Amino acid sequence: MVRNGELSSSDVKRVLRGYWWILPITTILLGAAGLGAALVLPKKYTSQTMVLVEQPTVGADYVKPVVTEDLNHRLASMQEQILSRTRLQPIIEKFSLYPKDRDRVHIDDLVERLRSAVMITPMPPTPGTEARQLPGFYVNVTSDNPRTAQKICTEITSMVLAQNADDRQKQVKVTTDFLSQQLEEAKKSLDAQDAKLAQFKRQNFGKLPDQEQTNLNILMGMNTQLEANTQALSRAHQEKAFTESVLSQQEANWKATQTGQNPETAEQQLSALEDQLMNLQARYTPEHPDVIKVKNQIEKLKKQLAAAPKSNAPATSTSQASVSEPPQIQQLRAKLHQDEISITDLAHRESQIQEQIRQLQGRVQASPLVEQQFKELTRNYQTALDFYNDLLKKRQSAGVAGDLESQQQSEQFKIYDPPSLPDQPSFPNKVIFAGGGFGGGFALGLGILFLIARSDKSLHNERDVEFALKLPVLVSVPILDVAANHASHRARLVTTKA
C-alpha cells in the first residue's frame, strides 16, 4: 500500500517482483515501433555545402573597406532576400518541384515548403582564436530526392554568392555617389567662404591683422617725415623772411643810388652786403651757395668802388632812371620766388603726410574689429576646407575600394565544399527512431509500474494496518507455512531412503 503518494523501497521491490515483465515488453514493443516508423516514413535527403569567407588581399590599414556591416547581419539580410517568393518560385518552376501538389496547393504554400527546406547556418569561430569575424557558413537543402537536393543546394549557393557580390557593388556605388554629391556641395560651400574671405580682404585692405604691425611701422615713419617736413617748412619761412629783408634793403640802396640822393650808396651797399655775409656765415658753412654768392657780390662791388674815381662821366638822374635792376636784386627776387615755391610744396607735402597719418591711425584703430571679423571668416573657411578635404579623402578611399571590388580582391565568398550528393537519408534516422522507441518503451513501463503501485490497496505490514485502520496493532500472528514444512519433511525422507 502506498502511503501519502510516496513509494518505499519495499513497495518498489514488491512491484518489481510481481510485474517485472512489463518493462521488457514495453521497451521492445516501442523500440520496434520506432524502427518500423523509420522504415515506413518517407525519406528526406540533405545536401550540404560549406562556404568560407576570404579576407581582402589588401589590408584595411591601406584601403579602408566601404562595406563595414557585420557579416552575420549581412548574411541574415541576404537569407531573407534569397528565401523570398520572387527568388524561390523560379527554383520551383526550374526543377519542377512538388509536381503532385502544384495543381491543388497554392504557390505560396509551395514556396513556404521550399523555404523550410533551406537552412543557412553560420559557422562558429575557431576555438582558441580571438577573431570575431564569421569564418563561413553552411547551406543545407532537404528534399525527397538526393539529386534534387544537390541541385537546389547548388542554386541557392550560387544565389548567395551572387547576392553578396551584388550587394557589395551596390553599397560601393551608393557610397561613392553619396560622397560625390556631398563633395560637390562641400566645394560650393568652400568656394562661397573663399569668395567672402577675398571680398573682406579687398574691402579691408590695410586693416587686416597681419598688416597691423606694418601700419604701425609706417605710422612711425610718417611721423618722422612730418617732423622733418615741419622743420624744413620753418627753415623755408625763415629763409623767405631773410631774403625779403635783404631784398628790401638792396632795393632801397639801388633806388637811392639811381636818384642821387645819397652819393655814398655804394659804400652803404657794401656795408649791407657785409652785414648779410656775417648773418649768413653765422647760419651756414663757408661752402654754402648763398655765402659764396654774397662773397662774390662783395668782391664785385669793391672792384666797382675802386674803379669809380677814374670815371669822367657823372651819372645823371635821367640816364640812371633808364638803367635796369642790378643782378643782385634780380637774384634775390628769384631766390624769394624759389622760397615761396618751396614753402608751397612743403605745406602741400605736410597736408599729404597728415592725411596719410589720419588714414593709418584709422586703420590701426579699426584693426581689433576687423581682426574679430577676419577670425570668424577664417574659422568658417577653415571648417569648410577641413570638411571638403575629409570628404575628398573618403571619396578617394571609396574609389579605391570600388576598384578592389571590381578586381575581386576584397572580401569574397568561396565555396570550400561543393554541394554534396547524399547517399543516406537525413530523415528518418533509424538510430534515433529506434533509440527513441526503446527509451520511450522503458519510460512507459516505469509509468505502468508506478500506476500499479499507486493503485495497490492491500495491507502488507503493521504500518499499512495502522495507516489504513487508524488503530494500533495489539497482536500479530506469524505466517504458518505448514504445507511448505510438510513438503520439506517428505523431501528429507525420500533422500534418507535413497
Side-chain angles (χ1 to χ4, degrees):
M1 180 180 181
V2 179
R3 297 181 296 277
N4 297 327
E6 296 180 359
L7 290 176
S8 62
S9 59
S10 60
D11 295 332
V12 174
K13 292 178 182 179
R14 183 176 63 253
V15 172
L16 287 177
R17 281 197 303 266
Y19 302 97
W20 61 269
W21 46 272
I22 294 178
L23 283 177
I25 291 176
T26 55
T27 302
I28 293 173
L29 286 178
L30 290 185
L35 184 59
L39 297 174
V40 173
L41 289 175
K43 305 296 187 293
K44 298 291 182 180
Y45 297 88
T46 300
S47 176
Q48 184 184 73
T49 181
M50 182 172 66
V51 180
L52 296 180
V53 180
E54 289 189 353
Q55 298 302 318
T57 56
V58 181
D61 295 336
Y62 300 98
V63 179
K64 187 176 181 180
V66 175
V67 182
T68 57
E69 185 182 6
D70 184 61
L71 184 56
N72 287 319
H73 296 164
R74 287 196 288 120
L75 189 61
S77 176
M78 287 189 293
Q79 183 175 356
E80 292 295 329
Q81 298 179 30
I82 292 172
L83 299 183
S84 63
R85 174 181 173 178
T86 56
R87 306 294 291 274
L88 294 182
Q89 184 174 352
I91 296 178
I92 295 176
E93 297 173 354
K94 179 179 180 180
F95 298 108
S96 301
L97 302 179
Y98 317 117
K100 297 180 180 179
D101 299 332
R102 295 184 67 177
D103 295 335
R104 58 187 182 87
V105 179
H106 195 270
I107 188 63
D108 290 342
D109 297 332
L110 298 180
V111 169
E112 185 62 30
R113 190 182 302 179
L114 179 58
R115 184 182 292 115
S116 62
V118 179
M119 183 178 296
I120 301 177
T121 308
M123 185 184 302
T126 305
T129 60
E130 297 181 357
R132 298 181 179 179
Q133 187 68 22
L134 189 68
F137 55 92
Y138 297 99
V139 178
N140 298 318
V141 177
T142 303
S143 178
D144 54 0
N145 186 284
R147 293 195 175 275
T148 302
Q150 185 185 34
K151 292 178 181 179
I152 297 175
C153 186
T154 303
E155 188 72 15
I156 295 294
T157 304
S158 301
M159 291 170 62
V160 171
L161 269 62
Q163 185 68 37
N164 176 65
D166 186 60
D167 288 347
R168 294 183 68 89
Q169 288 288 346
K170 286 182 179 178
Q171 190 163 357
V172 169
K173 185 177 184 304
V174 169
T175 303
T176 304
D177 293 343
F178 174 76
L179 289 176
S180 298
Q181 181 182 2
Q182 293 295 316
L183 187 63
E184 178 109 8
E185 295 178 358
K187 187 176 184 303
K188 292 180 180 178
S189 177
L190 180 62
D191 292 341
Q193 294 295 332
D194 193 11
K196 289 181 181 179
L197 187 60
Q199 183 180 4
F200 182 83
K201 287 182 177 180
R202 287 194 299 270
Q203 293 177 350
N204 297 275
F205 180 77
K207 303 177 184 178
L208 299 177
D210 56 347
Q211 298 174 336
E212 182 178 5
Q213 186 61 39
T214 303
N215 291 333
L216 292 175
N217 294 334
I218 296 176
L219 182 60
M220 293 176 61
M222 296 303 294
N223 287 326
T224 303
Q225 292 181 16
L226 179 62
E227 183 178 358
N229 190 84
T230 302
Q231 294 177 359
L233 182 60
S234 177
R235 288 195 300 270
H237 281 293
Q238 293 177 3
E239 290 285 343
K240 180 183 177 182
F242 178 74
T243 303
E244 287 177 346
S245 64
V246 173
L247 178 60
S248 61
Q249 188 176 15
Q250 290 288 341
E251 286 179 345
N253 295 334
W254 178 72
K255 289 178 181 180
T257 303
Q258 294 295 323
T259 56
Q261 296 176 357
N262 189 3
E264 297 180 358
T265 303
E267 288 79 2
Q268 294 178 356
Q269 187 177 359
L270 178 61
S271 176
L273 288 176
E274 289 177 351
D275 294 339
Q276 182 180 357
L277 178 61
M278 292 177 62
N279 293 331
L280 291 175
Q281 288 178 346
R283 297 174 58 190
Y284 303 114
T285 60
E287 290 79 11
H288 195 273
D290 293 341
V291 175
I292 297 174
K293 183 175 65 175
V294 173
K295 287 182 178 180
N296 293 332
Q297 291 176 358
I298 293 174
E299 292 294 332
K300 290 180 181 179
L301 188 56
K302 287 182 177 180
K303 291 180 180 179
Q304 291 177 3
L305 290 175
K310 300 178 182 180
S311 178
N312 298 320
T316 63
S317 60
T318 303
S319 61
Q320 291 177 353
S322 60
V323 179
S324 62
E325 293 181 345
Q328 296 85 353
I329 296 178
Q330 295 179 2
Q331 291 176 359
L332 289 174
R333 291 187 184 277
K335 186 176 183 306
L336 181 61
H337 180 68
Q338 186 66 32
D339 291 341
E340 291 177 350
I341 295 175
S342 177
I343 290 172
T344 303
D345 293 339
L346 290 173
H348 180 68
R349 176 59 180 164
E350 184 178 11
S351 300
Q352 290 181 343
I353 294 175
Q354 289 175 350
E355 180 63 24
Q356 292 178 0
I357 289 175
R358 284 194 296 269
Q359 292 180 358
L360 290 172
Q361 288 176 345
R363 291 177 182 180
V364 173
Q365 292 175 358
S367 291
L369 180 59
V370 173
E371 182 178 4
Q372 182 179 359
Q373 297 175 353
F374 182 75
K375 284 183 178 179
E376 183 177 358
L377 288 174
T378 305
R379 182 168 57 249
N380 295 337
Y381 174 78
Q382 188 63 39
T383 302
L385 179 62
D386 294 341
F387 183 65
Y388 175 80
N389 291 333
D390 184 58
L391 285 177
L392 183 60
K393 291 180 182 179
K394 291 180 179 179
R395 172 64 180 82
Q396 293 174 348
S397 178
V400 176
D403 295 338
L404 288 179
E405 291 289 341
S406 61
Q407 298 174 10
Q408 295 184 353
Q409 295 183 0
S410 61
E411 180 187 273
Q412 298 292 326
F413 288 171
K414 297 295 182 181
I415 299 177
Y416 184 76
D417 286 336
S420 60
L421 178 63
D423 54 356
Q424 295 294 331
S426 58
F427 179 87
N429 193 314
K430 295 180 181 180
V431 176
I432 295 177
F433 269 71
F438 284 118
F442 185 77
L444 179 61
L446 291 178
I448 293 173
L449 293 178
F450 179 75
L451 292 177
I452 292 175
R454 288 289 302 269
S455 61
D456 184 13
K457 302 298 182 182
S458 60
L459 305 178
H460 299 281
N461 50 41
E462 295 179 2
R463 296 182 61 189
D464 293 343
V465 173
E466 292 177 353
F467 180 78
L469 300 178
K470 307 299 181 183
L471 295 173
V473 177
L474 299 178
V475 177
S476 62
V477 180
I479 298 175
L480 300 177
D481 193 355
V482 180
N485 292 334
H486 182 68
S488 176
H489 179 68
R490 292 179 63 186
R492 286 196 299 270
L493 291 176
V494 172
T495 302
T496 304
K497 289 180 179 181

